Amino acid sequence: MSDRPTVYHVVSRTAYQSFLFDNEAKEVFTRMLFQQATFAGVDVLGYCVMSNHIHLLIRVSPINSLSDQTLLKRYKEYYGENKIPQSSLSSDALERVFKKGGTEAELARQRVLSRMGDLPSFMRELKQRFTIWYNQRHNNKGTIWAARYKSLIVEDDAESLTRVAAYIDLNPVRAEVVNNPKDYRWCGYAAALGGNVFMQ
């Protein structure tokens, strides 16, 4: 794994190209995307949530260590008032483990850190969380995603990033959903123009 930040253009499609993402689902996915990115230390440079696939332009920086205070802050913000999975410690329990120190604290630290600064972990957790929401919302079972996401490394320079971001933002125009990407709520261009705090 590189010890330098890497920019990826990521594409993931729904199973059988089904048009599963209605407006509510697009909104929820977008919210989860930025929540996941904040937790994992991933920069969202561009995105577009279509009815049957997503595009992400993200910069992933490896994270080898963070202070316990920062880890706890991200952990608490990530879970909020939501139920924490049985396999994870509560925020209070994690804080107690950190204060106690020793081997248990180091193992807990590494478990949380392993979910940060890593593209496969980021995508797996994002897609799993959204699938859980979608299945509960629609009384559905099983996966809603097709094969594993595809990712391409993008040169981290202004020209390359602008070109890929424009390609992503023009998805709804090519699909003839809107005439101008500024009119498509679930893409980075419209979000930036609309003052979306996530994109600032």
Side-chain angles (χ1 to χ4, degrees):
M1 181 191 303
S2 171
D3 59 352
R4 297 172 55 188
T6 305
V7 176
Y8 299 94
H9 174 199
V10 180
V11 182
S12 192
R13 301 185 180 279
T14 57
Y16 311 110
Q17 290 290 310
S18 304
F19 294 91
L20 300 180
F21 285 67
D22 60 12
N23 290 352
E24 180 189 26
K26 291 173 186 175
E27 201 74 27
V28 169
F29 183 87
T30 301
R31 195 165 53 245
M32 286 185 177
L33 165 64
F34 284 97
Q35 186 182 36
Q36 189 76 31
T38 299
F39 171 77
V42 168
D43 297 320
V44 179
L45 307 176
Y47 69 97
C48 187
V49 184
M50 298 294 288
S51 297
N52 63 355
H53 68 284
I54 59 164
H55 286 267
L56 307 177
L57 181 62
I58 55 178
R59 181 183 290 116
V60 181
S61 302
I63 299 174
N64 299 315
S65 66
L66 288 173
S67 70
D68 288 352
Q69 183 180 7
T70 301
L71 277 176
L72 280 168
K73 182 175 184 292
R74 288 194 190 180
Y75 197 82
K76 289 177 180 178
E77 288 175 354
Y78 180 66
Y79 285 111
E81 297 302 316
N82 296 332
K83 184 177 184 297
I84 294 176
Q86 290 181 351
S87 59
S88 300
L89 294 171
S90 70
S91 300
D92 290 341
L94 184 62
E95 189 168 11
R96 286 194 298 271
V97 168
F98 283 171
K99 284 181 179 176
K100 185 178 178 183
T103 304
E104 187 181 0
E106 186 54 34
L107 289 172
R109 238 176 247 115
Q110 291 308 314
R111 274 197 302 272
V112 178
L113 279 170
S114 70
R115 298 165 57 194
M116 299 177 175
D118 177 68
L119 179 65
S121 297
F122 175 80
M123 290 303 299
R124 179 178 60 251
E125 195 158 338
L126 174 61
K127 290 169 69 173
Q128 283 176 348
R129 291 182 71 222
F130 181 77
T131 299
I132 290 168
W133 173 86
Y134 184 91
N135 284 349
Q136 290 175 345
R137 185 77 175 85
H138 297 279
N139 196 26
N140 189 55
K141 292 183 179 179
T143 185
I144 62 169
W145 301 98
R148 185 180 185 271
Y149 65 87
K150 296 179 181 177
S151 63
L152 294 172
I153 294 177
V154 178
E155 287 291 328
D156 198 351
D157 61 65
E159 183 180 349
S160 299
L161 296 179
T162 300
R163 187 170 59 247
V164 176
Y167 171 82
I168 290 172
D169 288 328
L170 287 170
N171 258 255
V173 176
R174 286 192 297 274
E176 300 182 350
V177 176
V178 293
N179 292 321
N180 191 311
K182 72 178 176 60
D183 299 320
Y184 190 74
R185 178 177 173 84
W186 304 280
C187 75
Y189 183 73
L193 286 181
N196 184 336
V197 294
F198 293 127
M199 294 297 291
Q200 294 175 353

